[in-house]
Amino acid sequence: MAGSAHQGDPRTTLEFLLREQPRTYDEVVRDFGRLASDLGEDVTLSTRHLRRLASGERTNTTPVMRRVLQAMFGRPLEELLAPWDGVLPAATAGSTGLVLATGQPTADKELIEMAARRAKSFALTAGQTDLTTDVLEQVHEDVQRLATDYPQRPLTELLPDLFTTQDTLFTLLEQQRRPSQARQLYFLAGVTGGLLAKASHDLADPYAALTQARTAFVCADSADHNGLRAWIRGIQSLVSYWAGRTRESVKYAQSGMEFAPNSTASVWLPVSEARAWAALGNANATRAAIERAEAAWDSVQEDEVDELGGLCTFGRTRQIYYAAEALSLLPSQTTAAADYAARAVDAYEDTNSPEWAFGDQAGSRSALAITRIRAGELEGAAEAVSPMLQLLPEQRINGIIHCAQRIHRALGESPLAEAGGELQEQIEAFTRTPLKSLPS
């Protein structure tokens, strides 16, 4: 049951309803996402946000989130968030029953979803030599959904659809297509390959990540799409950076600038270069790259990759986080790093923002914790890192594990080492169960 770990009476009506049904918070959040999609609403809900709503710690929601929650539970949001008084009012008409209904077997829903996937597969691969607009729109929609979901949902929820989508695109490309359709399919295959490169990196497999990225770049060449070429170079720079291949990361970032005159990749690439220079200990090159990234905003115009959203575009919040992380690697830049990190942490507090990403949020907190360790603020460092250490194993992607290890190392090398033993133990416990260790 959702919330079963809590003791005592429910704090809100919502918490009571969640305890009464046989689903975890993560499953409820997935149902929320499906319902939002069915209703045509563009909104996501994180597990953390749901927990805070249920506990009464948070009451603010966007209008679109309010509509989906009310449809999901069949009750006004004010009633859901009201303190629990032991009396459950009658549900309003029109409730979907996704959470409250007990007479709809899960197996039936799975069969329906499986039938829908099979129908879509047939429509996409039924031997058509000339694809219809509907087919191309369907594949584009699938790729866009994966791009927007990627930064905000656990990878385990997305991998099956990533695999299926890539397989579908490769199957479609193996048949002869009109040049305009082939170009669209290569573009979408390149984006999907980039997402799978990121997925491989998140699972701590840089070899598979760079293999996917190289294939994605071939697709970008076949589509003759400079924005996609630049974005893939950004993925390659990211993978190389976290794999410790920092000079290679610099080269990928610099190479990508050849293709990124106006898209948001023109910001991503120099600030990615900055992280790699910082890892190499070059403070001057780091600051210069950060300044180039900031200046690039003056000429940014969104392209076809940016329009997909999510992981495919690079916003100001991510830029601030990247700068914070880069500068946090350089002891001489601690003051500037602390400023950037504080701004990034504040920006990522808004879980309703399209730019919100649990991985980047954790990275921002890691950078802030490191700057506080250098300032001798053990309690401040523990406070900064605490939310990160509460992430579930399925959210402990490769980059987050590396960030936690950096905090551990910074603490061990500081005068706070002895006093920070408890925090180091918490980090060690956290890193013992990364995403890559979970059963597939």
Side-chain angles (χ1 to χ4, degrees), residues 264-296:
T264 63
S266 66
V267 180
W268 185 24
L269 290 164
V271 82
S272 295
E273 183 185 339
R275 293 201 304 184
W277 280 125
L280 289 166
N282 191 328
N284 289 335
T286 299
R287 294 304 298 250
I290 289 173
E291 289 170 6
R292 289 201 307 275
E294 181 61 38

Side-chain angles (χ1 to χ4, degrees), residues 60-120:
N60 59 310
T61 60
T62 60
V64 62
M65 180 177 288
R66 187 178 304 116
R67 290 195 296 270
V68 178
L69 283 170
Q70 289 177 169
M72 190 173 195
F73 291 92
R75 290 173 168 77
L77 187 65
E78 296 75 16
E79 195 173 285
L80 291 170
L81 301 185
W84 172 243
D85 60 2
V87 179
L88 183 65
T92 60
S95 167
T96 65
L98 277 178
V99 172
L100 300 179
T102 58
Q104 183 178 353
T106 301
D108 287 351
K109 187 174 182 182
E110 291 176 351
L111 286 172
I112 290 171
E113 291 175 348
M114 183 173 66
R117 287 194 297 270
R118 182 66 184 91
K120 183 171 70 175

